[in-house]
Each structure stands twice: as C-alpha cells, then as structure tokens.
C-alpha cells in the first residue's frame, strides 16, 4: 500500500511493545480509504486538488504547423538557383493560415502558422534583409524550425492521471489544451482538536500557548484538507468522549494532539473507545512521536498525536499527512527518501527510529548533500526547526552515526506543491 521502506532494523532491535515505523505508517493508512465523491471545479482553483479521473487531450498539439523562431519561411526548392529571395510580407503570431506564393520568402514570427507550401524557417540571425530581398548566409534543411502539428502530444494523450495532485504546471498544460474545468476528489474533511487544561490562559504561570492546533490546521490545509478548528478539549474523559461522539460522520479524519501518553490525565485512548470507536494501534518506535494512537470512530479515522509540538509535527508528517493524501485519492509521498551524507558524528540509544532537524551544510565531491544535525533531540520545541532545511531520519537499529555515513532526509519543499 505504501511503497516506501523505512530504515528499520529487525524486530529484536526495536524497543518491545512499540510499532515499527513502517508498520505504523501502514496501519495509519489502513484507517482511511480514498473518498469516492468528486466535484467539478474551475481550473484556476485546482492547484493542490487531486484529479478524480484521467484527463485526456481533446486535440493533438500543436494544433497547426507553426514557427519555432523569428525568421523567414521559404520553399527550399526556390533556393536552388541562389541564396536570396524576394520578401513578400509578414506572418505574425495569431495570423490566419495562408499560402506561400512561389519564389518568395515571408517574414514569420515565433508561433505564427507556417504558410502552406513552406518547408523551412531560417532564423533571423542567419539572414540579412537588403531592400526588398532577404539573403540567407546559412542554407536550411527541410523542416528546420517548424513545430509540426501533433508533434508535442497526440489526440487522447493522458495529460493528467487519476490521483495526480494538480500543480501549477498541470494548470498550464490543461489551459493550453483549452480545458477550463476539472473533476477532482472532494477535499478530505479533518477535525483538529488540542487537549490540555494548560492551553487556556497562555502566558500566565503554569499555562502555555496552544502551538499544535494552529500548526496542525495549517499542515492539514497545506496537505489539501478542509480542516475545521474544534478548539481545546479539557483533561477530562467524559468531556473528551462527548466531543468525539458528537462529531458523528461529519469528518473523514479527526486529528488530536496530547493526552495519548501514560499520565493519569491522558484520556484520549479511553475516550476513543468510550465514544464507540476502536483503538487499532498505539505507540511507535519513533523519536519524537512515540505515543501516537491510531483508531476509528464509526466511519471516521482518528489519529491521536503527542502533545509535544515537535512530536505532533513529526507525527503529522509521517502519519496524518499520508492519511490525508490517501483520502484525497493521491499516493502518499514517501518520507525521507533523499540520500545524504552525515556531516556529524552521533551516538544514540537504539530502539526507536529518530527524526531530527537537519541543515544542509554542503556537498561531497560526488555532489551528495552533507547534513548537519540541529537541536538536542528535544521534542517540546519547534525552535531548532527554524534553522533547518528539512528532517533527517535514522533507523531504530542505529546506535552510532559516523561523519560521512549515508543517511536519508526529507527536505522542506517550497510551497509544498512543486
Ligand atoms: N511516564 C511517561 N511519560 C511520558 C512518556 C512515557 O512514555 N512515559 N512519553 C513522553 C513522550 S515521548 C511524549 S511525546 C509526551 C506525550 O504526551 P501526551 O501526548 O500525552 O501529551 P501531553 O501530556 O498532553 O503533553 C505533552 C507536552 O506537550 C505540551 N502540549 C500539549 N498540547 C500542546 C499544544 N497544543 N501546544 C503546545 N504544547 C502542547 C504539554 O503542555 C506537555 O508539555 O509524553 C511524555 N511523557
Ligand atoms: O515521543 Mo516523545 O514524542 O519522544 O517526545
């Protein structure tokens, strides 16, 4: 289902009782299935949406033979007796197709229809206009600088495959084909809750600001979801249960942060069950992001991310983001698939795969990126990420990384779409 192999050791290298990372990703994805409903939307609003079916070319492209260069259209046979021809007019881009009269050249601009009868275009750099004639100092071959009708793409070519998240380049390609509306899957509906009595009245002693809810809402929207802010749940089992049960089937995915660990007020797992749902997995061999909970309540998947902000971020990237992609009908993107070289040495306790803020420090002689490791493995703060260019990942079995070792990372992508 998820064609990514995560760097894992054998199960005996994993901390017992924890889900290996690849199994946890598979379990997360198994909680959701692609949304069947589709809608037709204007092309201009389609970036980030996922094509609900293949989009085929309504015509071959280019539509007509046209010039690839500014220059002169001519008939090669007319140059048999010399290297110049009388100039008989101009064909600008947008002009209606016309014929090339015998024995003359026509000035032509890039994109203009090649006149019927012309078999080459000489670019302006290889010609000189002298009075009413044009002289060619490099003689062309048949077909030079002519973009033939249908040479870019045949009629019926697949422009966009079903499941493709639409990027600006697809918008351009579809627009070039005269397509103004596209059929896309309905956006996944995601409910985002924070939990914790400490999150109200941030800034006063004992209280903090809610970092995760704004972050997870933004991440979910960036991933293509319609995300709804459901506020902060108190550290109370009954209130949490009521809030979850009240959602009915309105959402495809519920995302929570906090209350999934071991403490006496970590009620999320019990609330999922008390709300009539099922807990399908809990705790991953991952640092940060160990106490993630996976489950379902009715038709809705629920992913309980840890409260520590970097843990919640990592959990989104590894589990919730791929769930949203699958709901939207897209193939979840592999995480940390880019090989790089460690620019640092690091001894660590094996047992959990580890995600860390990574900064690009240069390239080795073969052009492979060299990474620096930032932060000190603290999951309570996002601050080290401000200097990072992406997230590095090491396997659960790794006890030592030596400078120069190959590792893998997930660069932050600009805008998330290109
Ligand atoms: N005895 C144990 N304690 C803990 C374990 C464990 O295995 N045994 N795991 C630790 C790990 S690892 C993590 S991660 C955290 C996760 O705990 P919870 O998911 O239950 O989260 P909380 O306890 O509710 O909060 C943890 C931490 O994060 C802060 N937080 C929570 N929500 C937000 C938010 N929306 N914005 C900003 N900060 C938030 C919260 O105040 C706590 O400081 O558990 C460890 N403990
Ligand atoms: O898993 Mo916790 O997320 O290591 O801090």
């Amino acid at each position: 289902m998820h064609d990514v192999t995560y760097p894992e050791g054998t199960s005996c290298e994993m901390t017992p009782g924890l889900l290996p990372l690849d199994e946890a990703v598979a379990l997360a994805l198994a909680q959701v299935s692609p949304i069947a409903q589709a809608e037709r939307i204007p092309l201009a609003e389609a970036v980030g949406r996922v094509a609900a079916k293949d989009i085929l070319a309504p015509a071959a492209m280019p539509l007509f033979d046209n010039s690839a260069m500014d220059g002169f259209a001519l008939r090669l046979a007319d140059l048999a007796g010399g290297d110049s021809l009388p100039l008989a007019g101009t064909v600008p881009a947008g002009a209606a197709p016309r014929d090339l009269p015998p024995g003359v050249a026509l000035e032509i601009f890039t994109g203009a229809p090649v006149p019927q009868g012309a078999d080459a275009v000489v670019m302006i750099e290889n010609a000189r206009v002298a009075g009413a004639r044009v002289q060619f100092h490099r003689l062309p071959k048949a077909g030079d600088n002519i973009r033939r009708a249908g040479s870019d793409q045949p009629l019926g070519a697949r422009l966009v495959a079903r499941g493709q998240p639409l990027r600006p380049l697809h918008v351009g390609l579809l627009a070039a084909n005269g397509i103004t509306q596209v059929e896309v899957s309905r956006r996944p509906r995601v409910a985002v809750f924070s939990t914790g009595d400490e999150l109200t009245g941030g800034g006063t002693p004992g209280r903090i600001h809610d970092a995760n809810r704004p972050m997870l809402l933004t991440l979910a929207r960036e991933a293509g979801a319609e995300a709804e802010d459901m506020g902060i749940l108190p550290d109370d089992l009954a209130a949490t249960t009521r809030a979850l049960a009240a959602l009915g089937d309105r959402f495809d995915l519920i995302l929570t942060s906090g209350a999934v660990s071991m403490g006496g007020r970590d009620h999320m797992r019990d609330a999922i069950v008390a709300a009539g749902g099922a807990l399908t997995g809990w705790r991953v061999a991952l640092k940060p992001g160990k106490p993630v909970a996976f489950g379902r309540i009715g038709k809705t998947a629920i992913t309980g991310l840890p409260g520590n902000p970097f843990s919640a971020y990592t959990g989104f990237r590894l589990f919730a983001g791929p769930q949203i992609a699958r709901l939207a009908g897209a193939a979840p993107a592999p995480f940390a698939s880019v090989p790089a070289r460690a620019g640092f040495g690091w001894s660590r306790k094996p047992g959990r795969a580890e995600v860390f803020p990574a900064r690009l420090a240069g390239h080795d002689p073969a052009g492979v990126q060299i990474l620096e490791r930032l932060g000190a493995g603290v999951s309570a703060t996002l601050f080290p990420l401000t200097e990072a260019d992406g997230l590095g990942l090491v396997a659960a079995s790794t006890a030592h990384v030596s400078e120069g070792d190959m590792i893998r990372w997930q660069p932050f992508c600009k805008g998330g779409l290109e």
Side-chain angles (χ1 to χ4, degrees):
M1 179 190 308
H2 198 63
D3 61 347
V4 188
T5 45
Y6 287 89
E8 287 299 350
T10 56
S11 51
C12 58
E13 287 160 325
M14 214 80 61
T15 305
L18 303 185
L19 287 162
L21 182 52
D22 49 0
E23 282 179 29
V25 173
L27 182 66
L29 289 171
Q31 309 310 306
V32 294
S33 35
I35 292 167
Q37 298 101 309
E39 59 199 26
R40 235 178 138 64
I41 60 164
L43 179 62
E45 294 164 19
V47 166
R49 303 299 296 272
V50 177
K53 53 184 186 187
D54 287 353
I55 305 177
L56 306 182
M61 293 284 268
L63 287 169
F64 50 89
D65 289 358
N66 67 94
S67 180
M69 295 286 172
D70 297 323
F72 302 92
L74 52 81
R75 192 179 281 106
L76 284 173
D78 292 340
L79 280 179
D83 64 356
S84 75
L85 290 169
L87 200 49
T90 298
V91 193
R98 55 180 284 186
D99 290 338
L100 178 70
V104 300
L106 286 170
E107 185 183 26
I108 191 165
F109 297 131
T110 306
V114 173
Q116 192 69 38
D119 48 16
V121 168
V122 177
M123 60 195 283
I124 210 161
E125 293 87 333
N126 294 333
R128 191 170 62 89
V129 176
R133 293 186 74 82
V134 55
Q135 188 187 9
F136 304 103
H137 32 264
R138 189 176 297 171
L139 293 184
K141 296 187 305 298
D144 273 4
N145 299 318
I146 296 178
R147 299 193 287 221
R148 291 288 176 204
S151 60
D152 289 348
Q153 123 217 326
L155 165 71
R158 192 169 70 176
L159 303 174
V160 171
R162 174 167 174 249
Q164 170 72 53
L166 296 169
R167 300 198 285 260
L169 72 92
H170 298 114
V171 172
L173 177 64
L174 297 176
N177 278 271
I179 293 169
T180 57
Q181 303 257 310
V182 285
E183 204 159 319
V184 293
S185 343
R186 166 171 77 63
R187 281 187 193 280
R189 295 184 188 126
V190 178
V192 177
F193 288 97
S194 282
T195 66
D197 293 337
E198 73 276 26
L199 300 180
T200 45
T204 54
R207 305 292 175 116
I208 59 167
H209 296 289
D210 182 352
N212 295 345
R213 197 160 38 105
M215 175 177 71
L216 293 171
L217 282 164
T218 316
L219 284 166
R221 287 176 188 141
E222 192 187 62
E226 202 176 278
E228 199 169 314
D229 184 348
M230 307 304 294
I232 298 167
L233 292 169
D235 287 321
D236 179 81
L237 175 59
T240 305
T241 305
R242 270 197 308 277
L244 295 181
L247 298 179
D249 285 337
R250 274 176 59 210
F251 294 95
D252 302 298
L253 174 65
I254 303 166
L255 276 185
T256 65
S257 67
V260 282
S261 191
M262 309 289 281
R265 296 197 165 176
D266 290 338
H267 298 303
M268 192 51 69
R269 286 176 299 137
D270 290 342
I272 292 171
V273 175
L279 191 73
T280 50
W282 179 56
R283 302 219 300 168
V284 184
L286 174 65
K287 184 176 185 294
K290 179 175 68 172
V292 181
F294 303 105
R296 297 189 59 84
I297 304 175
K299 293 184 182 148
T300 309
I302 178 162
T303 299
L305 300 170
N308 280 322
F310 184 32
S311 311
Y313 180 82
T314 303
F316 183 92
R317 286 283 177 225
L318 277 155
F319 310 117
Q323 286 180 311
I324 291 171
R326 182 160 154 77
L327 281 164
F335 180 79
S337 58
V338 183
R341 223 172 258 295
F344 54 89
W346 181 20
S347 289
R348 61 184 288 280
K349 185 174 158 219
R352 291 196 273 167
E354 186 158 352
V355 172
F356 57 93
R359 180 161 59 192
L360 189 55
H363 294 83
D364 74 5
V368 178
Q369 293 163 327
I370 299 173
L371 301 181
E372 197 180 324
R373 177 176 164 254
L374 306 178
V378 176
S379 61
T381 172
L382 294 165
F383 188 63
L385 288 169
T386 57
E387 298 281 294
D389 296 308
L391 299 174
L393 175 68
V394 294
S397 56
T398 304
H400 191 78
V401 178
S402 300
E403 195 173 334
D405 281 358
M406 289 306 290
I407 54 173
R408 294 204 281 140
W409 78 309
Q410 176 74 44
F412 294 140
C413 54
K414 294 183 185 72
L417 293 169
E418 282 290 10

